[in-house]
Amino acid sequence: MPKYIPEPFRIKVVEPITKTTREEREQIIKAAGYNVFNIPSEKVYIDLLTDSGTGAMSDNQWAGMQLGDESYAHCRNWFHFEETIRRITGLKHVIPTHQGRVAENLLFSTVLEKNMVVPNNNHFDTTRANILANGGIPLDLVIDEGKDPDLLHPFKGNLNIDKLEDTIQKYGKNKIPLTMITITNNSGGGQPVSMENIRQARAVCDRHGIPLFFDACRFAENAYFIKTREKGYENKAIPDIVREMFSYVDGCTMSAKKDALVNIGGFIAVNDERLAEQIKEKLILIEGFLTYGGLAGRDLEAIARGLIEVQKEDYLAYRIGQAKYLGDLLAEKGVPCLKPIGGHAVYVNARKFLDHIPQREFPGQSLVVNLYLHSGIRAVEIGSYMFAHKDPKTGEVNYPDMDLVRLALPRRVYTGGHLDYVADSLGELYAARKTLHGMRITEKGESPLRHFVARLEFIK
Ligand code: F0G
């Protein structure tokens, strides 16, 4: 039996959740067009759709909310926010935003010119979309090991340094406004990036005079993996590891909805004063004044406190332990998952799980829908349903490498009992897998973000 690391907190406020019956869920999912984004959250028993903005704040953060100074300019929480981010990252200029994708939009609309390229291990969807929307070309340069769901490697999120070098040779440094590393690598399964890899990327960028940035959403989870997996870091404190990680970059974008342990927020931090000034001008136009950026004073306070709490080692051991616990339970039941288990989620290999359903019939989406029908759990498909699109020139459909179902774990929300239930449900579904059917899209299949809006049905 896998071991569960107890929650390093006790619960003082609870939010009731209720389980619907199978008959109710059949009605609900039908009305939702078999698209789980359309299900009312109150009809979900355990919600693993995302770890973004879904976490529980601590009593210390809620106490901080009461100290919100809602003055328009230079409220006291801004000073705490700015000082905390400067101390944690060592970066000089801090720009608040209301979530991560706005930070991306502000950054890329400032640095990109047409046909410039931005390398990354794997761009997250919104990062990719913001680069494309600003005329740029997003390049995914994760190491080859990071593309094989069964291969064990401690840092599958690493950037391929040779490919980075080749990319710079091919396009020239003037076509690359910055290189990015996403920590941890969400699109590649929540896999971490090693300090050595960050250092090597820095060296390459230095040689060519190209700035290096983090997409820092899950920076603390990445630091915990460095501590537990990378030689020389086992006795270092998490804040020191975090500080070293950031010492190699010139800036970052951040969605505070992840490792700042809050429900809304984000920021950009950069060393380059000129870049900061350019972004700040746009900030006022789009988000708000320089010292609140679309957030309330109380939100800034909760973020500052969350950024400190998230670096506590007992929290991170429990957090990373939860994903591992769920992954180990699933492995015992034979459920195929992406290995090793990442930081914020378990990714079920739906292609293997439903190997009788062809990619064109969306095995991942079938698993997501069947999991909801079976047990009221909401997960999300990351595979053919989300990504397969017709090439407008050839008419051919390009399918992604993997069909995954992500079980993302909200921070400090569910207990070991909930995870046992999730594992049991998936185990039962796995035993009955040959009875499950593929799906077809009935509406809005051509939309570029179709996973949010399309409607489907089962092929029987
Ligand atoms: N970068 C990464 C790596 C992310 O995972 C996300 C969000 C963002 C940027 C954008 O941040 O949502 O605050 O605008 N990921 C969520 C998810 C939505 O479910 O993985 P945002």
Side-chain angles (χ1 to χ4, degrees):
M1 186 73 188
K3 198 164 150 45
Y4 188 78
I5 299 173
E7 284 75 11
F9 51 81
R10 52 188 179 170
I11 296 163
K12 100 171 126 187
V13 178
V14 296
E15 181 184 6
I17 49 175
T18 46
K19 202 173 160 187
T20 48
T21 63
R22 168 111 198 175
E23 289 68 37
E24 284 170 319
R25 288 195 293 278
E26 280 171 3
Q27 293 304 312
I28 293 162
I29 192 81
K30 193 168 174 215
Y34 298 90
N35 179 337
V36 290
F37 287 93
N38 291 334
I39 302 174
S41 67
E42 289 191 340
K43 303 296 182 194
V44 175
Y45 183 44
I46 296 181
D47 204 345
L48 307 182
L49 188 66
T50 177
D51 65 318
S52 179
T54 51
M57 293 204 295
S58 66
D59 52 0
N60 177 48
Q61 285 175 293
W62 279 108
M65 296 282 278
Q66 294 292 332
L67 299 176
D69 166 1
E70 305 306 342
S71 310
Y72 189 90
H74 286 97
C75 69
R76 80 173 151 252
N77 315 104
W78 155 253
F79 291 104
H80 189 202
F81 176 89
E82 182 189 41
E83 184 251 319
T84 305
I85 294 166
R86 277 188 178 157
R87 184 159 33 83
I88 289 172
T89 66
L91 295 164
K92 287 192 201 122
H93 305 284
V94 177
I95 298 161
T97 62
H98 86 271
Q99 61 182 89
R101 65 199 69 183
V102 189
E104 294 161 3
N105 184 288
L106 287 163
L107 176 66
F108 290 118
S109 65
T110 308
V111 300
L112 279 177
E113 285 164 24
K114 209 167 163 35
N115 293 328
M116 281 185 163
V117 301
V118 182
N120 200 333
N121 42 2
N122 283 116
H123 289 279
F124 181 66
D125 326 5
T126 58
T127 326
R128 168 182 305 282
N130 271 304
I131 292 169
L132 289 169
N134 286 292
I137 305 165
L139 293 182
D140 288 338
L141 305 182
V142 74
I143 55 170
D144 290 342
E145 291 89 332
K147 296 180 203 163
D148 179 344
D150 297 319
L151 202 123
L152 285 171
H153 183 290
F155 293 103
K156 268 175 124 170
N158 280 355
L159 189 67
N160 187 324
I161 299 295
D162 292 338
K163 279 197 186 156
L164 176 64
E165 188 70 61
D166 292 349
T167 302
I168 300 171
Q169 297 297 343
K170 180 171 168 199
Y171 292 92
K173 75 164 232 195
N174 294 334
K175 284 268 175 215
I176 307 176
L178 57 89
T179 292
M180 222 170 191
I181 305 180
T182 304
I183 50 170
T184 56
N185 187 21
N186 185 10
S187 306
Q191 301 293 324
V193 178
S194 72
M195 193 75 87
E196 190 192 7
N197 190 251
I198 299 168
R199 221 180 281 127
Q200 288 171 342
R202 169 84 260 171
V204 173
C205 287
D206 270 349
R207 256 203 315 281
H208 299 278
I210 294 170
L212 182 63
F213 273 61
F214 280 147
D215 176 338
C217 298
R218 299 176 180 85
F219 72 95
E221 292 169 8
N222 199 83
Y224 186 77
F225 281 117
I226 289 178
K227 183 176 170 84
T228 51
R229 292 185 184 172
E230 190 161 351
K231 211 164 166 287
Y233 289 91
E234 47 281 66
N235 297 320
K236 292 224 159 106
I238 295 290
D240 293 337
I241 296 174
V242 168
R243 187 69 193 235
E244 184 182 340
M245 282 160 49
F246 279 98
S247 75
Y248 300 119
V249 296
D250 303 286
C252 72
T253 56
M254 169 86 188
S255 166
K257 299 172 78 168
K258 285 83 171 173
D259 269 357
L261 302 174
V262 293
N263 305 116
I264 197 76
F267 59 86
I268 305 172
V270 293
N271 277 333
D272 181 339
E273 187 173 355
R274 201 171 139 257
L275 177 60
E277 290 310 316
Q278 286 173 303
I279 292 174
K280 281 179 186 176
E281 269 173 39
K282 283 188 196 153
L283 186 78
I284 299 178
L285 193 67
I286 296 170
E287 285 280 80
F289 186 61
L290 310 176
T291 61
Y292 74 85
L295 295 167
R298 55 179 173 270
D299 297 326
L300 298 170
E301 187 59 37
I303 292 170
R305 293 178 183 219
L307 286 169
I308 296 164
E309 278 175 25
V310 79
Q311 298 180 70
K312 300 261 183 277
E313 204 170 317
D314 58 353
Y315 161 75
L316 286 167
Y318 141 80
R319 167 79 181 149
I320 305 299
Q322 266 206 329
K324 181 168 186 315
Y325 175 77
L326 178 57
D328 288 349
L329 283 181
L330 291 174
E332 274 184 359
K333 294 173 195 299
V335 176
C337 293
L338 191 143
K339 286 186 246 172
I341 301 300
H344 66 293
V346 173
Y347 293 68
V348 179
N349 186 339
R351 180 105 48 93
K352 263 198 183 167
F353 193 114
L354 295 176
D355 57 7
H356 61 290
I357 299 181
Q359 269 195 298
R360 65 174 185 282
E361 294 179 10
F362 311 124
Q365 185 62 10
S366 169
L367 181 53
V368 165
V369 171
N370 277 298
L371 184 60
Y372 178 73
L373 278 170
H374 182 66
S375 45
I377 297 163
R378 177 157 65 175
V380 70
E381 192 260 10
I382 302 182
S384 311
Y385 170 53
M386 191 181 261
F387 296 125
H389 279 285
K390 238 189 224 155
D391 186 313
K393 284 186 207 132
T394 63
E396 229 172 85
V397 181
N398 298 318
Y399 287 97
D401 294 337
M402 295 192 259
D403 278 271
L404 303 173
V405 168
R406 185 180 75 169
L407 308 165
L409 301 174
R411 293 170 180 77
R412 304 191 291 207
V413 170
Y414 294 116
T415 64
H418 293 114
L419 300 188
D420 289 343
Y421 174 82
V422 173
D424 286 345
S425 302
L426 267 161
E428 286 155 19
L429 218 47
Y430 189 62
R433 62 191 179 280
K434 295 293 179 209
T435 65
L436 307 183
H437 297 272
M439 308 200 78
R440 76 166 71 90
I441 296 177
T442 55
E443 274 177 50
K444 300 198 176 144
E446 302 308 315
S447 166
L449 290 171
R450 72 176 176 203
H451 54 289
F452 292 126
V453 294
R455 298 178 78 85
L456 308 97
E457 64 185 12
F458 277 115
I459 302 169
K460 296 237 161 130

